[in-house]
Amino acid sequence: MKIAIASDHAGYDLKVFVLEHLKGRGVTDIADLGPDTNKNSVDYPDYAKKVSQAVIDDEDCLGILICGTGIGMSISANKVKGIRAAHASDPYSSKMARRHNDANVLCIGSRVVGPGLAFEIIDSWLDAQYEEGRHQKRIEKIEALEG
Ligand code: RB5
């Protein structure tokens, strides 16, 4: 499993916790695409773009994006063709985002959820599998919306 992860300044502290959690889960192939400090204000679309590109470039790679609410990251990532970014604040939603929506990017709000809940949200998403079947034609309709 490969994971590309990034945040903005608001999400940086949670990103550091999440990196440790991912390593604890045994994920060895992690690309931290920044930033490497929370000292400077940065723009979340820049980091959404980096992670989205990593996911598009490698179909085995999933993305995690963290900003204050998770909303700016999800709006930005979903502008990238081929990205299905799910903004989740609970483990049920993140699980279903993978099972039904084949979400390849997960967005979390650091000002909304604490580290413990964030870990559950991430684990539910990573442990779930896309169910295909009836969901596939819906994914194809999403792709048709991309033009
Ligand atoms: C930064 O203050 C904040 O706007 C950003 O982290 C995010 O919440 C935007 O959606």
Side-chain angles (χ1 to χ4, degrees):
M1 177 184 295
K2 299 177 193 172
I3 296 187
I5 184 170
S7 69
D8 68 357
H9 53 286
Y12 176 84
D13 289 353
L14 180 58
K15 184 186 72 168
V16 172
F17 283 120
V18 168
L19 282 167
E20 284 312 304
H21 178 71
L22 292 172
K23 288 174 197 162
R25 266 187 67 107
V27 183
T28 52
D29 199 341
I30 304 171
D32 179 0
L33 301 181
D36 52 18
T37 175
N38 61 4
K39 300 290 181 248
N40 308 309
S41 180
V42 296
D43 300 329
Y44 54 81
D46 297 335
Y47 291 90
K49 183 178 178 183
K50 287 173 193 261
V51 165
S52 297
Q53 196 57 54
V55 170
I56 293 302
D57 289 347
D58 183 348
E59 65 178 22
D60 294 329
C61 183
L62 294 170
I64 296 175
L65 288 165
I66 306 170
C67 63
T69 58
I71 295 171
M73 286 294 197
S74 61
I75 291 172
S76 303
N78 277 316
K79 298 291 183 192
V80 178
K81 190 175 168 71
I83 293 298
R84 291 176 300 279
H87 173 215
S89 299
D90 67 273
Y92 176 76
S93 296
S94 61
K95 175 174 68 180
M96 299 313 288
R98 192 89 184 275
R99 285 189 183 177
H100 286 193
N101 313 116
D102 197 19
N104 50 12
V105 172
L106 177 66
C107 303
I108 296 176
S110 63
R111 294 171 177 162
V112 182
V113 303
L117 182 53
F119 301 161
E120 288 190 31
I121 292 166
I122 290 167
D123 288 347
S124 293
W125 181 62
L126 292 178
D127 292 340
Q129 300 236 321
Y130 175 47
E131 292 176 359
E132 301 189 32
R134 70 188 189 281
H135 304 294
Q136 187 53 35
K137 76 173 190 299
R138 297 163 186 162
I139 297 296
E140 287 164 12
K141 288 187 177 187
I142 292 173
E143 289 168 352
L145 291 172
E146 292 175 330

